[in-house]
Amino acid sequence: MRSFGVDIGGSGIKGCTVDLDAGQLVGERVRIDTPQPSLPEAVYAVVAEVVGSFGWEERIGVTFPGVIKKGVARTAANVDKSWLGTNVAEGVEQVVPGTVTTLNDADAAGLAEMRYGAGRDRDGVVMMLTFGTGIGSALFVDGRLVPNTEFGHIQVDGEDGERRASAAAREREDLSYPEWAKRVDRYLDVLEAGVWPDLIIVGGGVSKKAQKWVPLLSTRTPVVVAELRNDAGIVGAALAAAEDLGP
């Protein structure tokens, strides 16, 4: 069975057809830089371009970097604030042939990892964290998603957690991987104090270089690298569309 997923991020918008039996992309994904400013109409146009490049005309899944409630964006940390209160599903449906399922980007990545990747067959409390422009989070209890967690915004030493420990922060401040790993460690210390997960899965673009920082972490919780790496959002979006898993 095939479906289609689009992953909207603060720096890039990417999409691809997905083989849901294997949990893999079919062919090469298409990635286009997120327009700046990242206004809704400009982003919708890019989504339409991505979908159109595959000739896909059926239902699609679309992720958004913020809280999504019944298709409506309630937060917008790393895209333009004009998204707040916008019905993302309806906006995308105006520019693509099919209907749309929308969900938080980290929730989508988590769904993919729990079905096909590092969280497969895992019970207990599992947390997926995506390190990119911000820090996205997805929380699962015995395999069931608790949607729209925003653990990237917990306060760490008086500052927003993702401001110090996101992949963007590492690049912005030109931190070495050992320097950045100390920040991630501190962020996870604070997170663990409130949640006590049984497993943490780390993903996002920086997961491609996991060997440079994951072994340096000293958390009490086992930390594993997302198996689908930076494709997890696309796969999870496609899965959500096919199985109507949006919040």
Side-chain angles (χ1 to χ4, degrees), residues 31-207:
R31 183 192 183 281
I32 300 173
D33 288 347
T34 302
Q36 300 300 328
S38 51
L39 301 173
E41 295 304 323
V43 170
Y44 294 151
V46 173
V47 172
E49 182 178 352
V50 170
V51 175
S53 68
F54 290 86
W56 188 267
E57 297 184 350
E58 301 174 45
R59 188 172 189 86
I60 68 170
V62 177
T63 76
F64 181 78
V67 170
I68 290 286
K69 301 283 283 187
K70 297 182 178 179
V72 177
R74 297 302 183 187
T75 66
N78 294 302
V79 289
D80 194 85
K81 300 304 180 186
S82 60
W83 283 95
L84 295 174
T86 298
N87 191 308
V88 181
E90 290 181 358
V92 176
E93 284 178 350
Q94 292 177 6
V95 298
V96 299
T99 54
V100 175
T101 294
T102 53
L103 70 165
N104 172 267
D105 56 352
D107 284 349
L111 287 171
E113 285 295 326
M114 294 299 288
R115 177 69 64 90
Y116 305 107
R120 189 173 53 250
D121 300 325
R122 291 296 299 255
D123 292 327
V125 178
V126 179
M127 182 172 293
M128 170 88 181
L129 297 172
T130 58
F131 292 85
T133 307
I135 300 176
S137 64
L139 182 67
F140 295 84
V141 180
D142 292 333
R144 294 177 64 88
L145 172 66
V146 180
N148 290 312
T149 56
E150 288 284 277
F151 293 124
H153 301 295
I154 61 173
Q155 291 293 296
V156 179
D157 300 327
E159 192 171 12
D160 195 84
E162 70 176 22
R163 178 69 184 170
R164 288 183 53 79
S166 67
R170 186 191 71 81
E171 295 174 359
R172 182 177 61 248
E173 300 183 39
D174 196 25
L175 299 173
S176 67
Y177 277 98
E179 290 171 331
W180 181 62
K182 290 181 180 179
R183 294 196 181 187
V184 175
D185 229 8
R186 175 59 182 149
Y187 165 75
L188 293 177
D189 283 344
V190 176
L191 186 59
E192 286 180 311
V195 181
W196 285 78
D198 298 300
L199 177 70
I200 296 174
I201 304 170
V202 294
V206 76
S207 65

